[in-house]
Amino acid sequence: MTDDLTRLSASLGDPATPSSGGSPQPLTRRQAREAAAMAPRREATVPVAAPTRREVSTPEAPSSRRALREAEAARAAKRHAPRAVVPRPPAGPVATPVATAPKAPLRKRIARKVFPPIVMAAAAALIIGTSVPSSVLGDPNAPAATASLGEFASALDAGAVIETGASAAATDAPEAQVLAAEADDTSALPVASRDDWSVTSYAEMMRLRYGNRTFAYATTGAGAVRWPFSFAAPISSGFGSRAAPCWGCSSYHQGLDFVPGYGTPIQAIAGGTVTLAQQGGGFGNHVHIDHVINGQRVTSVYAHMVWDSSPLSVGDTIEAGDFVGLVGSSGISTAPHLHFELHLDGVPVDPYAWLITNAS
């Protein structure tokens, strides 16, 4: 126990214990008891220094130690890494970069430089040629460069000799060639002039061909076969080629155009059966009636009638002279008229010629 007290006294820095050299002096029992009583107090008042990072040595796993070393190396590298130097903007105005367009090919660049002058020169030549009188560019009193064919023939008839060669001013030129020609009556050819030609339009040709046609006829308004009106109604257009009177009108007329006046009643030319009664299309309000005349199927067509003026329906049986409708201008039409057609076995024929032959 004495040894324990001695070591405790030496650790607490007791003055009775020598720090260096010599042998320790023994303590009495009283001193030992006092030293033992004072030891806890000194331990409580003596500050204990915190261990440093290097002094800490805890038993850790190898992976934790490696992670600590890597973290320590990263912090050290961060401390010693060079700082980024931010360049200061230059003093004064800053020039902004200008985007440049892609460079055009050489051919296009040459065309851009050469083409505009050529166009301007052509425009200037056109303006000069159309505005400057011809007398400015040449002498109007100068003799003609060539003689006409008639003058050449007259000279041959007179027995003249035509010479061709260099001018008299060129004395050094060789002897001119001489061409001798005898007069011949066949050499004088006729000369055509503009007055010998003329132009005739298609409409004028149609008027010359069909304009002198007359559609005179007489009717009593009775009989098994009759005209579509009880009186001789005027006819404005006949069967065949014509100048189209309107856009969409036919240039080959397949019927007769009667012009008795708007609202004139139309009668059937013969007894038969209604095969078509329709409103619409180019014919407007129109009706087809089939007849059997002289053993042949004849179809009569009545077109351009007033809308809803015909009481007929498909399948109706009618007699000659029955009411068909009123003259109008429905469909593609230029004026009130009755467009009348006749088909023999489905083939259009001239109604005027057929009615002249068959109507009573």
Side-chain angles (χ1 to χ4, degrees):
M1 184 175 180
T2 303
D3 296 337
D4 294 336
L5 291 176
T6 302
R7 287 192 300 271
L8 180 60
S9 176
S11 62
L12 295 176
D14 194 335
T17 305
S19 58
S20 62
S23 61
Q25 297 293 330
L27 299 176
T28 61
R29 293 183 177 179
R30 182 177 179 180
Q31 291 176 346
R33 285 196 299 271
E34 290 178 356
M38 291 297 294
R41 295 180 183 179
R42 290 183 179 179
E43 291 179 358
T45 56
V46 174
V48 180
T52 61
R53 184 178 299 174
R54 295 182 180 179
E55 293 175 354
V56 175
S57 59
T58 57
E60 297 179 355
S63 60
S64 300
R65 295 176 183 177
R66 188 180 301 108
L68 289 175
R69 285 196 300 270
E70 292 177 355
E72 184 68 23
R75 284 194 293 269
K78 188 175 181 180
R79 284 196 303 269
H80 297 289
R83 295 183 181 181
V85 179
V86 179
R88 294 183 179 181
V94 180
T96 58
V98 179
T100 58
K103 194 173 183 180
L106 178 60
R107 184 178 301 175
K108 290 186 177 180
R109 296 201 303 271
I110 295 175
R112 290 175 183 174
K113 293 181 179 180
V114 174
F115 188 69
I118 295 176
V119 173
M120 295 298 294
L126 179 62
I127 294 173
I128 294 173
T130 55
S131 59
V132 177
S134 59
S135 59
V136 176
L137 303 177
D139 186 5
N141 298 322
T146 58
S148 64
L149 183 59
E151 295 176 358
F152 180 74
S154 300
L156 291 178
D157 293 338
V161 177
I162 301 175
E163 297 181 359
T164 61
S167 62
T171 56
D172 298 336
E175 184 179 358
Q177 181 182 0
V178 179
L179 174 63
E182 297 181 357
D184 190 359
D185 295 338
T186 60
S187 61
L189 301 177
V191 180
S193 62
R194 295 182 57 186
D195 296 336
D196 297 338
W197 303 90
S198 62
V199 177
T200 304
S201 66
Y202 177 76
E204 293 175 353
M205 293 176 61
M206 293 297 102
R207 281 194 291 269
L208 292 174
R209 183 176 180 182
Y210 301 104
N212 298 326
R213 296 174 62 182
T214 60
F215 299 98
Y217 67 97
T219 179
T220 60
V225 179
R226 61 188 68 179
W227 293 76
F229 298 98
S230 59
F231 59 94
I235 299 175
S236 62
S237 180
F239 182 89
S241 300
R242 66 171 182 177
C246 66
W247 181 88
C249 296
S250 173
S251 61
Y252 188 84
H253 201 212
Q254 296 185 355
L256 294 180
D257 286 347
F258 292 90
V259 286
Y262 183 85
T264 303
I266 305 169
Q267 63 181 7
I269 64 168
T273 304
V274 178
T275 57
L276 178 66
Q278 185 176 355
Q279 297 194 87
F283 279 171
N285 185 12
H286 57 286
V287 173
H288 291 197
I289 302 175
D290 276 1
H291 319 272
V292 178
I293 301 174
N294 299 328
Q296 190 175 26
R297 183 172 65 90
V298 179
T299 303
S300 58
V301 180
Y302 311 82
H304 302 304
M305 296 186 295
V306 176
W307 298 111
D308 299 322
S309 64
S310 177
L312 302 179
S313 300
V314 176
D316 291 349
T317 302
I318 62 173
E319 300 296 333
D322 285 354
F323 177 72
V324 177
L326 300 177
V327 174
S329 186
S330 58
I332 301 177
S333 173
T334 57
H337 69 284
L338 169 65
H339 176 77
F340 179 76
E341 293 185 7
L342 279 178
H343 299 174
L344 301 183
D345 295 328
V347 179
V349 297
D350 186 354
Y352 179 79
W354 190 90
L355 287 173
I356 287 292
T357 304
N358 297 277
S360 301

